[in-house]
Amino acid sequence: MANGTGAPVAYINARLIDPVANTDGLGALLVGADGKIADWGPNLFSSGAPWGIETVDCQRHCLAPGIVDLRVHTGEPGEEHKETLDTAGQAAAAGGVTSMCILPDTDPPFDDASLIEFVHRRSRQVRLSKMYAYGALTMDLQGEQLAELGLLQEAGAVAFTDADHPVGNAQTMRRLLYYAKTFGALIVHLPQEPTLSSGHMNSGELATRLGLSGNHKLAEAIMLERDLRLVEMTGARYHASKISTAEGVDAMRAAKARGLQVTCDTAPHYFALNELAVGDYRTFAKVVPPLRSEADRRAIVEGLKDGTIDCIVSDHRPQDVESKRVPFALAQPGVVGLETLLPIALELYHNRHMSLPAIWQRLASTPARLFNLPGGRFEKGAPADLVLFDPDVAWVVDPEQFNSKTGNTAFDERPTQGRALLTVVDGRVIYRDATRWPATAS
Amino acid sequence: MTTRPLIPGMPRHLLGIEGLTAATIAALLDLSETYIDTSRSLVKKRDVLAGRTIINLFFENSTRTRTSFEVAAKRLGADVVNMEVQSSSTRKGETLLDTAMTLNAMLPDALVVRHQDSGAVNLLSQKVNCTVVNGGDGQHEHPTQALLDALTIRRRKGRLAGLTVAICGDVLHSRVARSNIHLLNIMGARVRVVAPATLMPTEVDRLGVEPHFTMKSGLKDADIVMMLRLQTERMSGSFVSTTSEYFHFFGLDAEKLRVAKPDALIMHPGPMNRGVEIDSAVADDLQRSVIHEQVEMGVAVRMACLDALVGGLSNYDERLAGDRGR
């Protein structure tokens, strides 16, 4: 059994999805006794199954680096009734996510080094997907006083963000970028001009019909342009979160064209849904930033295709029923995403927008590279963090089946294709789809 | 008992005008006409809703609308209970849905609900067993106001189709404007909205109206001038400068009215801010102002709506309507 007994395991007859080499073809992969990738390739074991070591016949299903999810909210500490690191770990494992970065907007927030160590300790206890912690950008995420970026980084913070709270003050942002540059730290920012984004949904015809205050889409481009100029000024490392508009994609594309070393991500709801999902006051589709127009959704797909958008994140944000079953304006934003990230990202493949290796660049190799995380790629000596998935298996999203504590998905009842069959961390199986991939199958 | 007409396509709940058909609206207005006669008789009481319980659940202060609904229900013979929640118990931790479920357990036949948040009445309607009437939700809809406005216009002008209606003022914060825009469009009127750009909803033209930024162009040859209250209590931040400047450019006075048709009617949903959006002389002009008539029509329209929803006049088929009626 490939579950941590320390014996090597050969995954044969696998469709290897290699995002770095940009290849998609049959082959095999060998996990060493140390839980690291020993070898892989189309010709490995081509002369026959290896003798004497455990073998998993992948039955031509896809074997890829496990997903590296840069954006996961949990409720621990502070709101354990919404999600704990245990349940988040289980959800991640079931979703094929082998590494995740925990956002700092907990109670208390991660503006103290002890909380970074807490996440790492809990990660070792939970022993499912690997958990990394963001450090807060500012104290108490208030956007005013600089957090202890240096100490937080020494404690292991992988990057710095105030999660869904944008830093509205340009001078504070300028200083944060300079301060982060001192430590070589990466700043991750949600580009939303706060004074233009106090509304509850996308500004436009639907908001007018529903009588809900709108959040103008240019709130994103305005803040993004400010940030990009400040990055140019300071030379700091910068990553923009959750690009949701055509203008946001244009701003990133232009910045990259003028040679700025900046990156960005988006979440499945921004390329798979548009604002119509909130019609009839569906609070489960209330997210930050809000779902945008169909033209914006298409622009996000284009941005993913041409590489303007570097990463896909789940933006997992659990909310209990009490936070959602209220009038729209009062509802808490956020959707759970760990268990729908893989199938919704695969829609880009099934709709013929992107190849599987290109999707896995956005899901695994690029996020790992940007955050200096060990997984996300096939590499000799790299940890064997893997996902075996069937890209075609059809299923219908049912929040009752989620491992997450809450079921606040915007994809309820959506027919999808693709599921993780086996999720492996450091060579150890942390998840097995018991119906589609029973233990006897391997 | 005389046979009463069915209202074609009457939904289970009256949550808004959007989605109703012209036939439903026309039938409701026809039924309202009969209740004007009832209300003008010496004995105003009917028994079509005798034994029924109607709860007026108001989360937002409104003496006028609540009284109108109460009078309407009582004239139909129903037992009426008023509940003003004042958002105090919601502060105590009881949610909107808890309140709704509590009242639902008392088995009312209808809940008339007003709430400060758009969509709150829709949400509530999904959780109770009785019919729900929207008495105004946030900036979304106020369907009975649009119906009473339509009844007032139809009685004075004989029709709705083909009329030019100018809805003026704080369109952005107005549920009255939204319901009226939907209704007047469904019935074939030509609708203009007149407001400073700060009080004009985004992409309002997509609702089928012509936006105007001056009273002069907006009121030109209008048959109906519908004024809206400047809702300062809903404003976060500054949308206009002083009220005196607002009155100068967007307040209705005899001078601005001159470009409208000579027989143009002046309407206002009340309560009026005299000297802010409307000049007293115009508001009290008995020849043209139908503001008090609107109040009378309000009772008749609400009688018709309650009768249609509670009295079994609906022939709405949930199976054919799909998700619409939820």
Side-chain angles (χ1 to χ4, degrees):
Chain A
M1 275 300 295
N3 58 0
T5 52
V9 182
Y11 291 87
I12 63 163
N13 198 21
R15 182 176 163 190
L16 293 178
I17 309 299
D18 185 339
V20 178
N22 200 22
T23 57
D24 172 355
L26 282 181
L29 183 142
L30 178 66
V31 177
D34 56 359
K36 297 192 182 334
I37 295 172
D39 202 359
W40 84 97
N43 301 317
L44 184 66
F45 308 135
S46 58
S47 51
W51 180 84
I53 62 172
E54 192 191 332
T55 303
V56 176
D57 181 349
C58 297
Q59 301 177 14
R60 301 191 165 214
H61 289 312
C62 296
L63 186 66
I67 295 170
V68 178
D69 187 351
L70 296 182
R71 206 170 174 88
V72 175
H73 298 258
T74 72
E76 184 178 343
E79 288 190 302
E80 284 84 354
H81 61 287
K82 292 183 177 174
E83 192 90 290
T84 63
L85 292 173
D86 293 85
T87 54
Q90 286 156 16
V97 175
T98 52
S99 292
M100 54 181 167
C101 298
I102 310 293
L103 288 156
D105 58 339
T106 46
D107 183 18
F110 300 169
D111 57 8
D112 187 279
S114 64
L115 285 150
I116 309 295
E117 286 154 9
F118 163 79
V119 170
H120 291 160
R121 188 171 71 245
R122 293 283 288 121
S123 175
R124 289 191 299 274
Q125 285 172 353
V126 174
R127 277 191 102 227
L128 291 165
S129 303
K130 295 170 182 169
M131 298 173 194
Y132 302 92
Y134 280 93
L137 207 45
T138 62
M139 299 306 279
D140 206 22
L141 316 180
Q142 293 295 306
E144 287 158 16
Q145 193 193 334
L146 278 54
E148 298 170 330
L149 305 193
L151 290 175
L152 289 164
Q153 183 165 270
E154 275 188 1
V158 286
F160 297 89
T161 186
D162 276 355
D164 285 350
H165 307 271
V167 177
N169 186 312
Q171 178 68 297
T172 305
M173 191 61 174
R174 188 185 72 94
R175 290 197 181 124
L176 279 164
L177 287 161
Y178 269 131
Y179 197 54
K181 187 186 177 186
T182 314
F183 303 105
L186 174 66
I187 285 187
V188 176
H189 192 226
L190 178 72
Q192 292 292 319
E193 168 53 43
T195 57
L196 289 176
S197 49
S198 57
H200 301 291
M201 67 170 292
N202 189 41
S203 176
E205 180 191 346
L206 188 61
T208 292
R209 282 182 189 276
L210 294 176
L212 293 170
S213 58
N215 171 333
H216 201 277
K217 65 186 227 149
L218 287 180
E220 177 169 291
I222 288 169
M223 183 59 106
L224 196 51
E225 293 286 6
R226 180 203 79 172
D227 283 0
L228 293 168
R229 295 297 166 183
L230 290 173
V231 170
E232 219 161 356
M233 177 200 288
T234 57
R237 296 171 63 210
Y238 174 87
H239 176 90
S241 300
K242 299 196 275 188
I243 297 300
S244 67
T245 67
E247 288 78 2
V249 176
D250 289 344
M252 284 303 300
R253 193 178 282 126
K256 289 182 170 190
R258 39 176 218 274
L260 228 52
Q261 297 292 312
V262 287
T263 51
C264 66
D265 63 56
T266 192
H269 30 277
Y270 300 114
F271 61 78
L273 295 174
N274 63 29
E275 61 183 338
L276 295 179
V278 307
D280 208 18
Y281 303 100
R282 237 180 121 234
T283 55
F284 278 39
K286 183 176 178 181
V287 287
V288 173
L291 298 176
R292 303 293 187 181
S293 71
E294 175 62 10
D296 290 306
R297 187 194 70 79
R298 285 163 185 260
I300 299 299
V301 172
E302 287 306 311
L304 282 164
K305 281 166 75 173
D306 71 12
T308 301
I309 300 176
D310 305 88
C311 309
I312 300 172
V313 300
S314 72
D315 193 30
H316 183 81
R317 186 166 175 185
Q319 296 289 2
D320 55 2
V321 172
E322 286 67 39
S323 311
K324 286 288 192 184
R325 275 278 170 214
V326 290
F328 198 89
L330 305 178
Q332 292 292 319
V335 291
V336 288
L338 281 167
E339 289 166 84
T340 49
L341 176 58
L342 184 141
I344 305 298
L346 284 175
E347 290 184 4
L348 296 166
Y349 164 71
H350 292 298
N351 294 335
R352 301 178 193 231
H353 291 305
M354 293 169 77
S355 68
L356 287 175
I359 293 170
W360 248 258
Q361 289 162 13
R362 315 284 184 272
L363 285 174
S365 63
T366 305
R369 178 171 53 79
L370 294 177
F371 278 50
N372 290 317
L373 305 180
R377 55 195 166 268
F378 291 155
E379 191 179 280
K380 283 184 193 176
D385 295 353
L386 308 167
V387 57
L388 177 70
F389 66 96
D390 176 347
D392 298 317
V393 60
W395 59 290
V396 175
V397 176
D398 175 8
E400 296 281 312
Q401 307 294 322
F402 283 170
N403 290 278
S404 271
K405 268 198 175 179
T406 63
N408 55 308
T409 176
F411 296 111
D412 192 7
E413 296 183 18
R414 187 180 181 98
T416 59
Q417 276 180 278
R419 267 193 100 109
L421 303 172
L422 209 58
T423 308
V424 175
V425 166
D426 290 333
R428 183 167 50 88
V429 173
I430 61 162
Y431 171 77
R432 175 189 299 278
D433 184 330
T435 45
R436 293 178 188 82
W437 199 257
T440 49
S442 52
Chain B
M1 188 176 144
T2 53
T3 51
R4 294 179 299 137
L6 285 176
I7 308 294
M10 188 69 196
R12 180 173 169 223
H13 306 295
L14 183 62
L15 301 176
I17 297 293
E18 193 176 16
L20 296 184
T21 65
T24 309
I25 292 166
L28 279 173
L29 296 181
D30 292 342
L31 182 60
S32 305
E33 296 274 4
T34 70
Y35 285 125
I36 297 171
D37 300 337
T38 306
S39 293
R40 287 181 180 174
S41 334
L42 204 56
V43 177
K44 300 177 172 60
K45 194 120 171 170
R46 298 278 302 273
D47 61 358
V48 291
L49 297 188
R52 308 298 183 94
T53 306
I54 294 174
I55 299 180
N56 287 329
L57 177 57
F58 277 56
F59 292 88
E60 196 181 64
N61 274 332
S62 161
T63 317
R64 304 160 61 98
T65 305
R66 190 194 35 75
T67 308
S68 180
F69 269 110
E70 184 176 354
V71 169
K74 284 183 170 164
R75 282 185 185 165
L76 294 174
D79 297 315
V80 185
V81 180
N82 292 315
M83 209 179 141
E84 304 227 359
V85 187
Q86 307 289 6
S87 65
S88 60
S89 58
T90 16
R91 267 193 216 110
K92 276 182 220 151
E94 190 178 43
T95 66
L96 168 68
L97 291 183
D98 288 335
T99 308
M101 294 313 290
T102 304
L103 295 179
N104 189 53
M106 299 175 192
L107 307 178
D109 296 281
L111 283 173
V112 178
V113 186
R114 167 167 286 197
H115 198 281
Q116 61 276 11
D117 286 311
S118 303
V121 184
N122 299 47
L123 175 65
L124 190 145
S125 74
Q126 294 164 17
K127 294 287 161 185
V128 296
N129 302 107
C130 64
T131 187
V132 174
V133 183
N134 184 356
D137 66 319
Q139 303 168 17
H140 175 224
E141 283 233 38
H142 190 358
T144 56
Q145 177 72 41
L147 286 164
L148 75 88
D149 288 341
L151 183 63
T152 309
I153 298 169
R154 203 179 72 166
R155 282 171 64 83
R156 283 293 190 117
K157 298 287 181 189
R159 65 196 164 103
L160 291 164
L163 296 177
T164 299
V165 182
I167 302 175
C168 313
D170 189 356
V171 182
L172 180 66
H173 297 101
S174 178
R175 54 195 173 211
V176 174
R178 281 169 181 74
S179 287
N180 265 309
I181 289 168
H182 294 311
L183 188 145
L184 292 164
N185 269 320
I186 293 164
M187 301 311 281
R190 183 177 164 194
V191 188
R192 298 173 182 163
V193 287
V194 188
T198 47
L199 293 177
M200 198 71 95
T202 315
E203 296 182 22
V204 70
D205 55 310
R206 303 268 302 175
L207 270 56
V209 300
E210 293 168 33
H212 288 261
F213 299 107
T214 66
M215 291 290 271
K216 193 170 183 179
S217 72
L219 262 53
K220 185 161 173 39
D221 299 326
D223 295 288
I224 310 291
V225 180
M226 209 179 262
M227 299 307 297
L228 299 172
R229 193 167 61 83
L230 195 61
Q231 298 193 67
T232 43
E233 75 280 6
R234 286 189 198 283
M235 295 183 182
S236 52
S238 181
F239 287 79
V240 293
S241 185
T242 59
T243 50
S244 58
E245 183 183 70
Y246 183 79
F247 183 77
H248 181 76
F249 288 99
F250 295 98
L252 186 68
D253 56 19
E255 174 62 30
K256 294 196 190 79
L257 198 55
R258 201 165 292 160
V259 295
K261 286 207 178 133
D263 59 348
L265 300 180
I266 297 160
M267 304 178 77
H268 194 297
M272 286 182 280
N273 297 315
R274 290 170 184 267
V276 177
E277 71 256 351
I278 193 161
D279 182 55
S280 277
V282 175
D284 300 333
D285 179 352
L286 292 176
Q287 299 301 309
R288 314 180 74 178
S289 168
V290 291
I291 292 168
H292 293 293
E293 208 168 310
Q294 286 174 273
V295 179
E296 185 194 345
M297 295 306 127
V299 175
V301 153
R302 286 168 183 130
M303 288 171 82
C305 291
L306 291 173
D307 190 6
L309 291 164
V310 184
L313 301 188
S314 171
N315 69 347
Y316 190 72
D317 191 330
E318 298 258 350
R319 285 164 303 172
L320 296 179
D323 285 350
R324 271 295 245 336
R326 277 193 307 157

